[in-house]
Amino acid sequence: MGKHLVLVGGGHAHLTVLTHFDRFTGGGCRATVISRSAYHYYSGMGPGLLSDVYAPQDVRFHIRRMTEDRGGRFVEDGVTRVDPGARLLYRRHGAPIAYDVVSFNTGSSVDFDAARSLKARSVFPVKPIENLLAAREAVRRRLKSGPLRLCVAGGGPAGIELSANLRSLVRREGGEAEIVLLAGSRLLSHFPGRRLRTCVKKELRRQEVTVVEGLRLAGLDDQSVTLSDGSTRPVDLLLLATGTRPSRIFRDSGLPVGDDGGLLVDDTLRAVDHPEIFGGGDCIAFGPRPLPRIGVHAVRQNPVLLNNLTAALLDRGALQPYKPQRSCLLILNMGDGRGILFKNGIVWRGRWAFRIKDWIDRNFMKKFQVSGETG
């Protein structure tokens, strides 16, 4: 029996491996994917999903079909613990699965513990992206009863895009809503310079989104949010985009991790001290230097993971390093068919910026929507 490759998670960093799964199954290996869902949703189009610019089938990949069409086995489940000594993956609902080589792309979750105790009818963490579908339907349903008080927590790109696309959704539905963005210490605090921040503030003001800076979300219940100064604001629905953290799988398994709990990997995306374990995307801590949790890194790690898993399993070629770019193109979907583009200190806004983003996103989807996502 050949070696066994297991992919845990069907996220952005595993897409190229999945489209080349027959390289492994045809090369004498067994190949398995363990994922909590048959579909994976592309986060870059999530805000457009919220505002109904995109339908679900526009923004998802059919992980089960991608796997099975190429001779692999798909297991709909989650992994709770890794035993690296025995090379076993312990599952939430089934017997452990043994591996020879494993790669993790399990993403991240919103880092706000209080949300876990609240009813889903009022609080929606931005991840997993499917939550935005539920948020969209909740807004539609509640607008029928009158004006809403909507709140987004998080002053990064995700919070900005969600605030603007909430406004677009409300307008599409012909309703009324107050929309507040709780931006934490400062809007876009991790981005250099003033030009982008100034441009985003102008656009949010045009969209009638109130930006609150200098205060953080400190607590919440079904009817209000509590801010870091002790004040409260009434809300009907809250979207959480307050930052993310990797799964506790790696820390709980005794694997080397970074400061944030992500799987600590070297420049070849291989786990430190465990050469049979790889990973990519939001769930890893990149040893050479910290990487922001943005989708571009997961996307660009695709060919590196394919090459290095091929080298590890089939002895074809040498391991390659992942070389992250120092600066990345950022295009914010600001709703109403408008966008803001930022690259190397240059900022442009308008409809053509969104058209560029839409073209890039749709072409990315076409590249990997190879297994009947629209069916």
Side-chain angles (χ1 to χ4, degrees), residues 16-313:
T16 298
V17 179
L18 284 166
T19 56
H20 290 81
F21 230 30
D22 49 359
R23 173 183 299 186
F24 302 99
T25 57
C29 295
R30 292 176 296 137
T32 299
V33 174
I34 306 174
S35 176
R36 293 185 180 183
S37 172
Y39 288 102
H40 173 69
Y41 284 76
Y42 176 44
S43 60
M45 299 171 79
L49 183 67
L50 175 66
S51 59
D52 208 18
V53 170
Y54 303 121
Q57 61 267 27
D58 295 328
V59 304
R60 70 190 184 195
F61 309 100
H62 204 313
I63 302 304
R64 178 189 289 274
R65 288 184 183 172
M66 291 175 76
T67 302
E68 295 176 346
D69 287 354
R70 291 158 184 79
R73 175 192 176 203
F74 182 86
V75 177
E76 191 165 338
D77 204 348
V79 172
T80 59
R81 186 169 64 86
V82 185
D83 183 340
R87 296 193 182 185
L88 288 175
L89 301 168
Y90 287 86
R91 296 192 284 148
R92 192 174 301 276
H93 301 297
I97 292 179
Y99 63 87
D100 292 289
V101 174
V102 62
S103 182
F104 289 89
N105 187 204
T106 50
S108 57
S109 59
V110 172
D111 187 9
F112 198 85
D113 289 333
R116 291 172 173 79
S117 63
L118 296 175
K119 298 178 181 178
R121 66 181 181 85
S122 60
V123 181
F124 298 86
V126 66
K127 290 194 173 183
I129 297 300
E130 298 93 304
N131 288 347
L132 298 179
L133 281 173
R136 185 179 76 186
E137 296 313 307
V139 170
R140 281 175 166 168
R141 184 174 63 253
R142 295 189 187 194
L143 280 173
K144 295 176 182 178
S145 300
L148 292 179
R149 298 162 299 186
L150 306 176
C151 182
V152 178
I160 292 165
E161 289 187 299
L162 293 174
S163 300
N165 281 273
L166 272 178
R167 175 60 69 198
S168 292
L169 176 61
V170 171
R171 287 173 176 161
R172 281 173 178 266
E173 297 298 311
E176 297 180 14
E178 173 193 52
I179 301 176
V180 175
L181 173 60
L182 301 177
S185 60
R186 189 177 65 169
L187 194 72
L188 293 171
S189 59
H190 298 298
F191 285 77
R194 297 180 181 179
R195 294 187 63 190
L196 176 61
R197 193 173 301 112
T198 299
C199 185
V200 168
K201 285 185 175 181
K202 286 181 179 179
E203 188 66 19
L204 290 175
R205 189 160 49 246
R206 188 188 71 83
Q207 296 272 25
E208 298 180 314
V209 173
T210 301
V211 178
V212 177
E213 295 182 289
L215 295 173
R216 297 184 179 277
L217 179 66
L220 46 93
D221 57 36
D222 274 347
Q223 296 181 329
S224 65
V225 295
T226 302
L227 306 184
S228 51
D229 65 351
S231 63
T232 61
R233 281 179 173 265
V235 297
D236 297 305
L237 185 145
L238 171 68
L239 285 175
L240 284 173
T242 49
T244 59
R245 62 182 176 191
S247 164
R248 291 189 57 88
I249 295 172
F250 312 113
R251 194 185 297 276
D252 291 347
S253 301
L255 291 167
V257 297
D259 293 339
D260 61 0
L263 177 68
L264 186 61
V265 301
D266 62 20
D267 64 346
T268 67
L269 305 179
R270 183 171 59 179
V272 176
D273 298 336
H274 295 284
E276 71 284 354
I277 299 177
F278 292 81
D282 284 1
C283 74
I284 65 169
F286 191 63
R289 69 177 177 89
L291 298 178
R293 290 202 178 94
I294 53 177
V296 65
H297 289 301
V299 170
R300 289 176 175 164
Q301 287 162 2
N302 267 276
V304 176
L305 275 175
L306 175 62
N307 177 86
N308 293 352
L309 291 174
T310 301
L313 280 152

